Amino acid sequence: MTKIQIINGPNLNLLGTREPEIYGGKTFETYLEELRRDYPQIQIAYFQSNVEGLLIDKLQEVGFSYDGIILNGGAYTHTSVALQDAIRSIKTPVVEVHISNVFQREEFRHHSYLSPVCKGVICGFGMDSYRLALEALLADK
Ligand code: DQA
């Protein structure tokens, strides 16, 4: 069975209540249920943490056995050399995802430390960004 890991970084545990005008009103748990229902043939694991080191631990844990990783690094996208190094160090392809179109937002969100080492980037399609990332990983298998 194809195994995909979704990893959400800081503050994404608050989806549904956090700035709904930007991120929408749905919790990630609700979205995940829908995604798993739509892709019963895929094993979709989910991990969220507000702690940078725990995101790195998860990347290292799944990064040699899973078929793909969908990573929304949240604000660490724009700050973390350590996450870039972790992605460089593993074998599993990583797709970077953002719910919002970061290029329509503040300048500091325009730079990503992760993009250069990810397979690709999907941003700006709301929660559907995760499904599009999944499709991209499946198409590439
Ligand atoms: C985000 C965009 C980031 O700039 C921000 O810090 C987030 C969420 C997104 O999904 O749109 O936490 O990654």
Side-chain angles (χ1 to χ4, degrees):
M1 198 182 208
T2 301
K3 290 199 287 190
I4 302 292
Q5 174 75 52
I6 298 177
I7 302 178
N8 273 345
N11 302 306
L12 293 165
N13 54 315
L14 296 181
L15 287 172
T17 51
R18 172 195 185 196
E19 299 181 276
E21 65 288 356
I22 297 175
Y23 299 111
K26 195 179 273 189
T27 66
F28 197 78
E29 287 67 26
T30 300
Y31 176 74
L32 188 59
E33 254 176 50
E34 294 167 5
L35 197 64
R36 284 179 172 146
R37 192 195 54 215
D38 291 347
Y39 291 86
Q41 74 283 18
I42 311 294
Q43 185 186 313
I44 304 174
Y46 177 56
F47 179 76
Q48 189 279 330
S49 180
N50 296 322
V51 180
E52 190 175 8
L54 294 180
L55 300 172
I56 292 167
D57 284 347
K58 182 52 77 174
L59 285 165
Q60 292 186 5
E61 180 192 318
V62 301
F64 296 90
S65 55
Y66 276 54
D67 299 293
I69 297 171
I70 297 168
L71 173 64
N72 186 343
Y76 291 140
T77 305
H78 317 298
T79 63
S80 181
V81 174
L83 272 177
Q84 179 186 120
D85 281 350
I87 296 166
R88 276 181 192 280
S89 306
I90 61 177
K91 294 266 181 280
T92 300
V94 178
V95 175
E96 176 183 344
V97 154
H98 301 284
I99 297 166
S100 63
N101 182 345
V102 287
F103 299 101
Q104 289 173 344
R105 302 180 63 193
E106 304 94 320
E107 188 91 27
F108 67 84
R109 295 186 204 276
H110 297 184
H111 177 262
S112 166
Y113 278 97
L114 313 185
S115 304
V117 292
C118 284
K119 179 137 197 72
V121 183
I122 295 176
C123 86
F125 296 97
M127 289 282 210
D128 202 38
S129 294
Y130 293 88
R131 185 189 61 81
L132 294 168
L134 180 59
E135 282 293 338
L137 284 166
L138 297 179
D140 198 51
K141 262 182 63 62

